[in-house]
Amino acid sequence: MHSFHSSSILCFTSSLCSPLISTRDTSRTSSKSRPFFNTSKSKSTIICSSNTSRIDRLNEARQRLSLLQSTPSFPTSNSIVSRNKSATQSTAVVKGFEHLSRHSVEEKAAEEYLKLNHKFLKYDAESANEYFSKRPFEILQRQLELITPLTLFVGRIVLDLQFGNEFKNRKQRAKEFLEMISSFGPAFIKAGQALSSRPDLLPPEYLQELMKLQDQIPPFDNGTAFELIENELAPKYSMDSVFESIEDTPIAAASIGQVYKGVLKNGQVVAIKIQRPNCEQVIARDIYILRNASGILSNVLKLINQNLDLRLIIEEFGNLIYDEIDYVKESQNASRFAALFGDFPGVFVPRIYWQFTSSKLLVLEWVHGKRLTSESLPNRAALVQTLVECSLHQMLDENSGFYHCDPHGGNLLCMENGQICYLDFGMMSELNSEQRYGIIEAVIHLVNRDFDSLVKLYVRLGFLPKDTELQPIIDALADALPDVLTASVSELNFKSVIDKLGSVMYRFPFSLPPYYTAILRTLLVLEGLSIQIDPKFRIIEKAYPFIAGRLLVDNAPQLDDAMEYLLFNNGNARWDRLENLLESAADSNDYDISAAADRMTQFLLSERAANLRNTLTDDLVDQLDALSVDSVKYFNDLTLYRLDTLRKMLVSMERNPSEHGLLRLGNERVLMSVLNAVLRRYVKENSMDETVLKENKELVKYPEETKTMKMAMRLMDALGRSRGFDANKIGGIIGKLLQNEEGQRIVLEVGVNLSERLSSRLIRTLFQLPQNDTNLRRKN
């Protein structure tokens, strides 16, 4: 088990003042200005004829943009003399609307031009090393600003360890850690947010506090902000030619930029997002310091058997934050998100004004709405459902994997029409197919408490070294995690599960890749927000039907392992697991039973399922035989129960005819004799005295459905609730089986073996012979 080791923290502190490393320099613009990042051309392509080169498309886009900008796009106006004027009282509304169609063309040309020509910011550690190694006094000054609070904090931890109070004081130290990180600036704030989803690096108490980290700091002055806006618009535009008004109070301020509300000359209300001055420089400097410190700390961690490459983690963090400070990248993210999910029911994506957008300035459509944490939200349950379903589609759809990984309350609005509007697209992430399938497998194994398969999956995904002893981890997971399928509502929340899972990951040599921690953070933030909207919400409860549906309908070979592990145990079918899977998937709007049937048929007829087919055939015969026996017995007992009820009524009528006021049947005695004859055998089989037949007492109890019958009824109910269910299609599935040689064998074997068993049972019943139960593998 590892915890805050005093030597590790002290080495981290001292490493902030470590010698500077000098490496090669590359630059976005010039080596003298900003050499701490590199750039790359956009990989986006524009749909065009196959014989058009990229240079031709770039020149064509540049020409169209120049032509559009050569004529005034907006009505002439004086300078912005009233930036505090209400944005809804623009005097240019009527004049501006005549230009809306041309603005749309201009936006498309600007978007095409930027996508082809913009040099996206990319974090370059070598360039940063060379740049800052030439500025030792700047680095030393910053290191001294960090050293004092860090040294005091580490000192308190060391004292806790020496006096045996580390665990006792851990919650308090976690709060102090949060306050310290919050005061260090944007890079540390973003790093703290990233650390909040790293259970392999920090104990749960610290993770809980870091989840509270808010990226909100005081705004910088308007004069600086407006000057930056003017510089970013130049030379193509000026503020006077673009904006009718801008309010003088920013509506939001964060570590990277701040947002103003304004009105374009055409009357459109917009949000204007401008980056803080020297933001890139400040972030690059702090990442440089963190990276140098992480290399030394990684070596120290190896001494306590923690093989974590913290330098690689910092570099990955650098890549993420550089994506966030490039507003053209954010605009591209918004456009891609709109293309994928702009038509998703209940979701809205604001329009980007590309012609006014640059790497430090973003102008987008203003959206009226309420924060999702507002107490006056209408139809809260529907909002949560939309938010969660959209997020799951983003992460796990086979045609997507591109998702919003910061869905907190500040980035979402509830519009007047009930739609959810996504606002900020700086923190986006993407999953490839292998990663999506790994997440689906992990959730399936976790929900079904198949910890052996879960730990093997972690090894396969690279979360654990291949030589790790797995049984202690399996035992620890079994002890720590609840049975998700039967857990109480309080145990079902994702945070509780991750806290318990994190406590295990913290004790063993886990190393989580960035994509996995991004998913964890997204789901934690998503559930936290959803619980604020609807306190009864639990994301596992809502997500599992969707994931079960994906497993049942996705034909990807990568999911065959999960299908086999889930539904078969050493070749024997797990009918209870199939039942749970179908019941869960039935509640998903994205699950189609017809597609699931095709998927299951395809899997069973595949080469990898060759060994499963034989045992499946026997299991299927056993289950159908058991169901038939139980059903016959149930309906026989039900008939006896009803006959016994009639007998009791006749006995009561015979003894007290005046009390019932009923017309006595003329053949009552004959009917009673028939009933007694039928029930006499039951009395004899149950070792009762025949005199009980003359008493007004219950002889036969109402029968109860057997386990096999209940499972069959639940399966039928789940099938009936599933989208795409049609009883007539069952014949079609059998038809598909009969088109395949192996399918023909399965159908023939099941039919012949089941007919033999039922025939044998019928003959023995007719001749009143004891049943020779051939269902040797039946489990009651």
Side-chain angles (χ1 to χ4, degrees), residues 495-557:
K495 183 178 180 301
S496 173
V497 172
I498 291 301
D499 284 347
K500 294 174 181 177
L501 183 62
S503 67
V504 176
M505 289 182 168
Y506 188 64
R507 290 160 48 196
F508 294 95
F510 278 85
S511 179
L512 302 183
Y515 83 86
Y516 197 77
T517 59
I519 283 288
L520 292 181
R521 183 179 186 278
T522 301
L523 293 176
L524 285 168
V525 172
L526 185 63
E527 182 177 67
L529 175 61
S530 300
I531 288 175
Q532 286 183 277
I533 303 171
D534 180 5
K536 297 181 180 179
F537 174 82
R538 296 295 179 265
I539 198 166
I540 295 179
E541 189 177 27
K542 298 295 183 183
Y544 187 66
F546 180 88
I547 292 174
R550 298 307 310 167
L551 180 64
L552 286 172
V553 302
D554 197 323
N555 289 321

Side-chain angles (χ1 to χ4, degrees), residues 226-240:
F226 294 147
E227 182 180 354
L228 291 170
I229 294 172
E230 187 78 57
N231 291 340
E232 291 300 313
L233 288 172
K236 300 172 186 176
Y237 302 103
S238 67
M239 288 181 66
D240 294 346

Side-chain angles (χ1 to χ4, degrees), residues 431-441 457 460-461 515 556-559:
L431 298 171
N432 61 38
S433 58
E434 295 295 332
Q435 292 164 350
R436 292 200 307 273
Y437 298 140
I439 289 169
I440 291 174
E441 282 190 68
L457 173 66
R460 195 173 85 232
L461 294 176
Y515 83 86
Q558 296 91 330
L559 291 179

Side-chain angles (χ1 to χ4, degrees), residues 639-656:
T639 301
L640 289 173
Y641 171 79
R642 288 174 176 168
L643 291 175
D644 185 48
T645 302
L646 178 59
R647 178 196 63 80
K648 289 193 300 177
M649 185 184 71
L650 292 175
V651 170
S652 178
M653 289 173 59
E654 185 178 50
R655 293 182 178 180
N656 305 291

Side-chain angles (χ1 to χ4, degrees), residues 123-390:
Y123 174 69
D124 188 328
E126 292 184 359
S127 299
N129 281 337
E130 182 164 346
Y131 180 84
F132 287 110
S133 66
K134 298 174 183 178
R135 292 160 176 78
F137 293 109
E138 179 183 347
I139 298 302
L140 180 59
Q141 181 182 358
R142 179 57 172 164
Q143 288 172 331
L144 291 175
E145 292 175 1
L146 301 174
I147 282 293
T148 301
L150 272 172
T151 302
L152 293 174
F153 176 73
V154 171
R156 289 192 289 271
I157 293 179
V158 171
L159 289 176
D160 289 343
L161 290 169
Q162 288 182 343
F163 290 101
N165 295 326
E166 193 278 327
F167 182 79
K168 175 184 176 182
N169 294 336
R170 189 179 287 177
K171 286 186 177 181
Q172 178 60 32
R173 297 292 174 255
K175 293 179 181 179
E176 295 169 1
F177 186 66
L178 173 65
E179 294 175 0
M180 181 177 64
I181 290 293
S182 300
S183 67
F184 281 169
F188 284 88
I189 290 174
K190 296 297 181 183
Q193 290 174 336
L195 278 174
S196 68
S197 56
R198 294 304 302 258
D200 55 328
L201 299 181
L202 292 173
E205 293 83 356
Y206 282 77
L207 300 180
Q208 292 171 13
E209 288 300 319
L210 288 175
M211 283 296 296
K212 303 173 184 177
L213 195 59
Q214 297 295 317
D215 188 8
Q216 295 177 347
I217 59 178
F220 58 97
D221 66 280
N222 287 345
T224 302
F226 294 147
E227 182 180 354
L228 291 170
I229 294 172
E230 187 78 57
N231 291 340
E232 291 300 313
L233 288 172
K236 300 172 186 176
Y237 302 103
S238 67
M239 288 181 66
D240 294 346
S241 66
V242 173
F243 299 108
E244 175 66 21
S245 65
I246 300 178
E247 294 187 356
D248 61 0
T249 302
I251 61 169
S255 57
I256 292 177
Q258 61 194 39
V259 181
Y260 291 88
K261 184 177 182 181
V263 180
L264 297 178
K265 288 294 186 178
N266 67 358
Q268 293 292 298
V269 184
V270 293
I272 306 162
K273 185 175 180 180
I274 184 66
Q275 195 171 110
R276 286 181 176 272
N278 302 317
C279 184
E280 299 169 21
Q281 175 88 10
V282 170
I283 288 174
R285 180 196 62 198
D286 285 350
I287 293 176
Y288 169 79
I289 293 172
L290 283 171
R291 185 175 181 273
N292 284 344
S294 65
I296 297 174
L297 184 57
S298 291
N299 292 329
V300 174
L301 289 176
K302 291 179 181 178
L303 300 177
I304 54 174
N305 298 321
Q306 293 302 316
N307 190 21
L308 294 171
D309 189 348
L310 294 182
R311 176 164 290 184
L312 183 62
I313 293 172
I314 294 297
E315 290 179 0
E316 182 63 32
F317 164 70
N319 292 329
L320 292 175
I321 196 170
Y322 263 66
D323 280 348
E324 192 171 354
I325 63 176
D326 187 344
Y327 288 172
V328 174
K329 177 68 173 178
E330 180 176 345
S331 300
Q332 190 179 57
N333 289 340
S335 292
R336 183 180 176 189
F337 189 87
L340 290 169
F341 302 104
D343 294 331
F344 193 90
V347 169
F348 180 82
V349 182
R351 167 186 178 184
I352 302 294
Y353 290 87
W354 282 90
Q355 65 272 43
F356 310 131
T357 293
S358 70
S359 60
K360 296 182 180 180
L361 175 66
L362 174 58
V363 180
L364 68 159
E365 175 183 2
W366 181 268
V367 178
H368 294 279
K370 299 178 180 178
R371 296 292 183 188
L372 291 190
T373 52
S374 172
E375 295 182 358
S376 58
L377 288 179
N379 203 351
R380 291 170 171 266
L383 286 173
V384 171
Q385 187 74 16
T386 298
L387 180 61
V388 173
E389 285 186 0
C390 185

Side-chain angles (χ1 to χ4, degrees), residues 52-165:
T52 303
S53 69
R54 184 180 184 280
I55 298 300
D56 292 337
R57 297 199 311 273
L58 179 58
N59 291 332
E60 183 183 351
R62 184 183 290 112
Q63 290 169 4
R64 283 205 303 270
L65 186 59
S66 299
L67 179 62
L68 286 164
Q69 293 167 349
S70 64
T71 54
S73 297
F74 300 99
T76 304
S77 174
N78 296 326
S79 62
I80 305 175
V81 296
S82 178
R83 291 197 171 99
N84 61 351
K85 177 181 177 180
S86 171
T88 59
Q89 298 177 353
S90 171
T91 59
V93 172
V94 177
K95 293 182 180 179
F97 278 116
E98 62 187 8
H99 298 283
L100 283 181
S101 59
R102 190 140 56 92
H103 293 167
S104 178
V105 175
E106 185 179 0
E107 285 167 24
K108 290 302 295 181
E111 178 181 3
E112 184 176 329
Y113 179 81
L114 280 174
K115 285 182 176 179
L116 290 169
N117 196 48
H118 179 69
K119 296 179 179 180
F120 292 95
L121 299 180
K122 301 292 289 185
Y123 174 69
D124 188 328
E126 292 184 359
S127 299
N129 281 337
E130 182 164 346
Y131 180 84
F132 287 110
S133 66
K134 298 174 183 178
R135 292 160 176 78
F137 293 109
E138 179 183 347
I139 298 302
L140 180 59
Q141 181 182 358
R142 179 57 172 164
Q143 288 172 331
L144 291 175
E145 292 175 1
L146 301 174
I147 282 293
T148 301
L150 272 172
T151 302
L152 293 174
F153 176 73
V154 171
R156 289 192 289 271
I157 293 179
V158 171
L159 289 176
D160 289 343
L161 290 169
Q162 288 182 343
F163 290 101
N165 295 326

